[in-house]
Amino acid sequence: MRCKQYIFALLILLISPALKAQDAARVYEAALDAYELGLFQKADSLLCGSVNLFKGETRIGVYRLLALCNLNMDKPERAQVWVSDLLAVDPYYSVYNDAPRFAEMVNRIKAGKTATITTASQQAESIEEAPVPVTLITEDMIRNIGARTLKDALIAYVPGMTDIACNEEMNVAMRGIYSSGQEKILIMLNGHRLNSYSTNTASPDYSIGLEKVKQIEVLRGPASSLYGGVALTGVVNIITKDGSDVDGVMVKGSAGNYGQVRGDILFGKRYLALDVLAWGSIYRADGQKVHLAGDYDAQPYAAMPIEGDMIIGGYNKAPSYDLGLSLKWNKLHLLYNRRYAKTVAPLTLSYFFTTYEYDKYRLLNGYAPGYAIGSQHAEIGYSDSNGGFAWQVSANFDSQDQQRYQVCGDIPESGTGGNDVYPNGLDDVVLKLYDKVFQSVRWNEYTLGVSAQASYNYAFGKDHSGVLMIGGQANRFNLDDASYLEGINYDLILKTYNDVKVLKTGRETSADAYLQLKHTWRYFVLNAGLRYDFKARSSGKQLHVLSPRIALIYSHPKWSAKLSYSKSFVDSPYFYRNNTLDINFGDDNLSPEYLNSWQLAFYSDGKLIPRVKMEVNGFINKADNFIIQSELGNTNAGSLTNAGVELAAGYSGTRVKVEGNLTWQRVLASQNYSIIGNSVYNIPDFQANLTAAWEIISGLKVNAHGLFLSKQKSLYALPEFPEQVIDIPARMIVDMGASYAFWKMEVGINVYNIVNTTYLQGGSSVAPMQQAGRWLLGHVSIKF
């Protein structure tokens, strides 16, 4: 009996491989039939879970078919994975009579150029072939510095990006160019614009959570030829994870000093053809309180200093949050994002620049003093392809509720003399400095838009191939509700304006069309583009702007070199052109700002020196028509020509990863721009970053980040006060962290400015402000 059982088991073992082979053959044939009928999702679903059943030549065919399916579903990143698997089995695979997109991808990956970005040309391509210098920040790189905000990641990894002090919001400069808010860099989420349509601003703060991020693609240089206005000095595109990348639920809780509390939740799953990603992030902090004496020694740049607490890094009363949902089903995609943030202004408004009693001021519309911005972004789109053709259409909706609630002074009555606060007055009411004055402007805006894009991949002869792309979009901006008020004594509203001081309501229409050509001949790539932008302002004035770009790239298998020229513009913000408030006022005579840039870059992604990627880039920027703020309002009076050199390098070992970058820049010429000698005020001539992460044992990792900035100069210039040039010494800021991952959990801690360096930073504030000292943030996360 036992002998018969052994014989039966042996027969099963012998027959099973044959049965599995027959099953695999049937699955492959069914997938081929589905592919021929255009049922790409069905073919992909049939093969995805059965790859290990196939052997030899059949497995190569399966990888090819999966790559073709994903290209036809416009999923180039996924297609790249299958092509890489194919080449791992057969490194000498040769394409024959295949779709140009598939052939181009195979040849590119065989040459060692992994397609990693989509932002530079709105198509998947390698960093080597991008038309401008690109910085790619991965999920691991974000974790390796314990980045809390998008600003942390940009300053650590992007050459030429520096911190700028602002009394109301987070701000950064790119190659010495900045404004009162972050309105020169386009920030996007999966290609969707996050910048306001009224102010052009998008703050890289806690309203942008980082747990959902797969990678951040940063274009360093003008990008209006593809993205129009706002993409003046660069583009930051935040790419979220797919649901399949998460494959479950991740919950993370964080807490630290100065009242920091943070929570993150991430859900992701793939259900056949449906990919789902949902996220939520919330953050609050009391902020670091620095007590300042009421004299000019402690507060040298205050009009009338009073004793009190300066609050650094406060996000309270209402917490910042980032909520979102991304759905991908076959050829459709849906994105929804809701965000909010309000930082505590460290000091009072502009001229007064002193401490104030933040907690005593009333709430306005539920908000405490500060710049509160609540945003909603929604997009629905459809994409498809057929052979060498690909196209996509989308519709979008964006809205913002903004409130700038500013405190002017807490100065006590005795001895002040009762100066008028505002030249426009309050009818018969005269405000005095001692009246605990506050002001607030609030408005609502929304924008509706549509876009379309089509591309054709072509190939002819043995060495010629390329992509021709056309596209366009149209937007309708509406600002239908705005109000302005002034008050005293912390909570008494004296008057709401709708005439003398007002942000005007209105509507503006914009449309554009662009053309792009990317042609490859042997080792050479020509990447050129031209975009036409039209805008009808609320006043009826029309703008017509052309933005060209051209890059010539030599792409050797081990390195690449690119020479590029690009021109960009940003129209003067609606907020500047349509208000009669006491600050940031202007008129419809304001024109767009322009930037011309010439760049020469060298790049290698670990092929020239194993495990080492490196980039060297030189640039010359010429900015014209820059908006300058003065007592007389905003005017187009500034220009700046500067040049610089950027270096970036990284080493990736088995357990150690190191990233570093440095930037040197120098002013060549300027007019009415904030410079001294060959330097821009509040911008270091030299900066350097170094980041290192070491996995000591499996699961235990330590990391460190160092930022060095050379000495800077800042300018203090206000009416009735002598102009002062302020020296800011060079500084080194060090952050450190550690984490331990076990089972499905992780615990960790990060310490920022670990040696508690006290330093100042200038920028769009009236004078330099003290920056954050030592902050700690610990976390615990678990994945289900």
Side-chain angles (χ1 to χ4, degrees):
M1 182 70 179
R2 183 171 297 178
C3 183
K4 289 181 180 179
Q5 290 177 340
Y6 288 149
I7 294 172
F8 179 75
L10 182 61
L11 288 172
I12 292 295
L13 290 173
L14 292 172
I15 293 171
S16 290
L19 291 175
K20 288 182 180 179
Q22 291 177 9
D23 290 340
R26 283 195 293 268
V27 169
Y28 186 48
E29 289 297 326
L32 281 172
D33 291 341
Y35 177 80
E36 293 297 330
L37 293 172
L39 304 174
F40 307 120
Q41 182 61 58
K42 180 179 178 181
D44 181 76
S45 299
L46 284 168
L47 293 176
C48 266
S50 309
V51 172
N52 292 331
L53 295 176
F54 301 98
K55 306 295 181 183
E57 292 295 326
T58 307
R59 175 172 284 197
I60 293 174
V62 168
Y63 286 144
R64 171 185 171 276
L65 191 56
L66 283 166
L68 289 169
C69 287
N70 281 274
L71 284 172
N72 279 285
M73 292 187 291
D74 201 28
K75 297 179 180 179
E77 293 87 358
R78 190 64 183 159
Q80 176 189 297
V81 173
W82 295 120
V83 171
S84 298
D85 289 343
L86 183 156
L87 293 174
V89 176
D90 183 5
Y92 304 102
Y93 179 86
S94 298
V95 293
Y96 175 74
N97 201 28
D98 270 314
R101 293 177 73 194
F102 175 75
E104 189 271 338
M105 183 173 286
V106 170
N107 291 332
R108 185 173 66 241
I109 295 177
K110 284 175 70 174
K113 304 167 189 173
T114 304
T116 54
I117 62 170
T118 59
T119 308
S121 303
Q122 291 195 358
Q123 58 186 299
E125 63 185 349
S126 64
I127 292 179
E128 291 96 328
E129 296 177 348
V132 295
V134 174
T135 297
L136 180 65
I137 304 173
T138 65
E139 178 185 4
D140 283 343
M141 292 167 68
I142 293 171
R143 291 169 60 85
N144 288 345
I145 61 167
R148 298 159 292 180
T149 63
L150 177 61
K151 177 181 174 180
D152 286 347
L154 295 178
I155 290 175
Y157 291 114
V158 182
M161 195 86 77
T162 53
D163 186 15
I164 287 296
C166 180
N167 201 40
E168 294 184 315
E169 55 190 305
M170 283 192 179
N171 197 358
V172 292
M174 183 64 183
R175 294 173 176 169
I177 295 176
Y178 63 93
S179 295
S180 58
Q182 196 302 101
E183 59 189 57
K184 309 300 185 191
I185 301 170
L186 175 63
I187 298 179
M188 303 189 295
L189 178 67
N190 290 340
H192 186 104
R193 169 177 170 158
L194 299 184
N195 294 65
S196 164
Y197 284 84
S198 65
T199 63
N200 291 343
T201 59
S203 185
D205 56 19
Y206 290 97
S207 67
I208 302 176
L210 298 180
E211 292 298 329
K212 66 180 183 293
V213 176
K214 183 174 185 177
Q215 63 187 43
I216 302 170
E217 301 172 4
V218 183
L219 308 188
R220 306 196 323 266
S224 288
S225 62
L226 272 180
Y227 297 106
V230 187
L232 188 78
T233 60
V235 175
V236 175
N237 192 11
I238 302 162
I239 308 297
T240 62
K241 300 171 183 176
D242 288 331
S244 56
D245 296 327
V246 180
D247 194 29
V249 179
M250 188 282 294
V251 179
K252 183 176 181 180
S254 307
N257 59 346
Y258 303 122
Q260 293 180 92
V261 178
R262 181 166 191 160
D264 294 278
I265 185 168
L266 194 62
F267 169 79
K269 208 73 177 175
R270 182 182 175 91
Y271 305 95
L272 297 177
L274 177 63
D275 187 271
V276 181
L277 177 71
W279 68 86
S281 178
I282 188 169
Y283 175 85
R284 76 163 309 279
D286 294 330
Q288 177 184 349
K289 292 185 177 180
V290 178
H291 192 76
L292 300 178
D295 55 50
Y296 287 106
D297 290 332
Q299 302 182 59
Y301 313 115
M304 293 182 180
I306 63 170
E307 184 176 0
D309 291 330
M310 174 185 183
I311 302 175
I312 303 173
Y315 284 81
N316 55 39
K317 303 294 185 182
S320 300
Y321 62 80
D322 177 14
L323 308 173
L325 174 67
S326 173
L327 299 176
K328 298 176 183 178
W329 181 62
N330 289 329
K331 300 171 184 179
L332 290 169
H333 75 267
L334 172 69
L335 175 68
Y336 177 75
N337 183 220
R338 188 180 184 96
R339 304 181 298 117
Y340 168 80
K342 184 199 70 65
T343 184
V344 177
L347 299 170
T348 56
L349 169 68
S350 184
Y351 172 90
F352 308 102
F353 210 61
T354 189
T355 61
Y356 65 105
E357 296 178 281
Y358 171 77
D359 291 321
K360 287 189 176 181
Y361 282 84
R362 64 171 293 163
L363 299 182
L364 290 175
N365 304 303
Y367 303 133
Y371 190 3
I373 303 176
S375 307
Q376 292 189 80
H377 308 279
E379 178 177 304
I380 185 169
Y382 175 86
S383 59
D384 201 357
S385 61
N386 185 4
F389 289 96
W391 59 91
Q392 60 185 35
V393 293
S394 65
N396 61 273
F397 169 79
D398 300 271
S399 70
Q400 285 199 332
D401 181 1
Q402 301 197 44
Q403 178 172 285
R404 302 185 81 163
Y405 178 2
Q406 299 166 312
V407 173
C408 304
D410 289 349
I411 300 172
E413 180 175 356
S414 60
T416 62
N419 297 318
D420 291 345
V421 173
Y422 299 118
N424 288 346
L426 266 170
D427 294 342
D428 295 329
V429 181
V430 179
L431 295 181
K432 311 292 186 180
L433 287 177
Y434 56 77
D435 284 329
K436 281 63 176 182
V437 179
F438 59 89
Q439 66 176 18
S440 174
V441 57
R442 184 185 183 187
W443 69 97
N444 302 102
E445 63 179 87
Y446 71 90
T447 303
L448 297 170
V450 293
S451 64
Q453 178 180 289
S455 63
Y456 173 65
N457 286 66
Y458 64 85
F460 59 87
K462 182 180 179 181
D463 301 315
H464 293 273
S465 62
V467 182
L468 181 65
M469 179 185 297
I470 59 172
Q473 60 185 28
N475 292 300
R476 178 70 166 175
F477 163 79
N478 300 264
L479 196 151
D480 290 331
D481 181 33
S483 62
Y484 175 74
L485 61 83
E486 290 171 346
I488 60 173
N489 293 335
Y490 302 121
D491 65 356
L492 177 60
I493 296 175
L494 289 178
K495 185 171 181 179
T496 298
Y497 286 89
N498 54 17
D499 47 11
V500 179
K501 302 179 185 181
V502 65
L503 173 60
K504 302 172 186 176
T505 59
R507 295 168 174 79
E508 297 191 337
T509 300
S510 60
D512 65 75
Y514 57 88
L515 174 68
Q516 177 179 281
L517 171 66
K518 179 181 176 183
H519 182 82
T520 302
W521 175 66
R522 296 183 180 177
Y523 291 140
F524 292 94
V525 179
L526 174 67
N527 197 322
L530 179 66
R531 172 165 166 150
Y532 164 74
D533 278 89
F534 164 82
K535 187 173 188 177
R537 289 181 174 178
S538 58
S539 64
K541 185 176 182 178
Q542 295 184 354
L543 299 180
H544 303 271
V545 182
L546 287 176
S547 303
R549 181 197 77 219
I550 185 168
L552 182 62
I553 305 162
Y554 178 76
S555 185
H556 187 273
K558 293 186 177 181
W559 53 271
S560 68
K562 66 187 76 172
L563 176 65
S564 65
Y565 164 77
S566 53
K567 180 181 180 180
S568 62
F569 81 101
V570 56
D571 190 22
S572 53
Y574 180 95
F575 185 83
Y576 289 177
R577 294 182 276 109
N578 292 278
N579 86 70
T580 56
L581 306 175
D582 291 299
I583 57 171
N584 286 330
F585 59 93
D587 58 36
D588 204 56
N589 291 321
L590 287 173
S591 302
E593 301 170 303
Y594 297 95
L595 178 65
N596 293 270
S597 183
W598 296 262
Q599 302 192 78
L600 177 62
F602 168 88
Y603 179 80
S604 177
D605 190 15
K607 284 85 178 181
L608 195 63
I609 303 176
R611 295 183 178 271
V612 176
K613 62 179 181 180
M614 65 182 78
E615 179 196 55
V616 181
N617 180 56
F619 68 86
I620 298 176
N621 283 349
K622 186 177 186 300
D624 296 299
N625 242 29
F626 258 53
I627 295 175
I628 304 299
Q629 294 181 355
S630 69
E631 292 180 82
L632 302 177
N634 295 305
T635 58
N636 292 102
S639 65
L640 174 71
T641 302
N642 65 340
V645 177
E646 301 166 339
L647 287 85
Y651 169 79
S652 182
T654 306
R655 293 187 178 273
V656 176
K657 293 187 177 182
V658 180
E659 301 276 346
N661 63 76
L662 58 88
T663 304
W664 172 85
Q665 53 188 315
R666 182 179 178 85
V667 174
L668 303 180
S670 74
Q671 181 178 359
N672 296 323
Y673 200 81
S674 186
I675 73 157
I676 180 168
N678 297 108
S679 304
V680 178
Y681 279 119
N682 307 308
I683 302 293
D685 291 340
F686 177 82
Q687 68 181 82
N689 282 278
L690 184 63
T691 299
W694 177 31
E695 188 174 15
I696 302 173
I697 58 174
S698 180
L700 179 60
K701 181 185 289 187
V702 294
N703 56 270
H705 167 238
L707 167 64
F708 173 79
L709 298 175
S710 65
K711 62 182 181 180
Q712 308 169 40
K713 291 186 181 296
S714 189
L715 178 66
Y716 176 68
L718 282 180
E720 303 177 13
F721 286 86
E723 184 174 290
Q724 297 182 49
V725 176
I726 304 161
D727 290 313
I728 300 178
R731 61 180 180 263
M732 180 79 177
I733 307 299
V734 178
D735 309 325
M736 297 189 73
S739 63
Y740 180 61
F742 59 97
W743 187 53
K744 297 181 179 181
M745 298 183 64
E746 181 184 275
V747 294
I749 187 170
N750 285 281
V751 185
Y752 308 93
N753 191 2
I754 193 168
V755 297
N756 202 27
T757 300
T758 300
Y759 64 99
L760 301 177
Q761 178 60 52
S764 54
S765 54
V766 171
M769 297 192 299
Q770 183 172 332
Q771 301 299 295
R774 184 189 298 116
W775 285 54
L776 299 87
L777 191 64
H779 71 266
V780 178
S781 67
I782 184 169
K783 184 176 179 182
F784 303 97

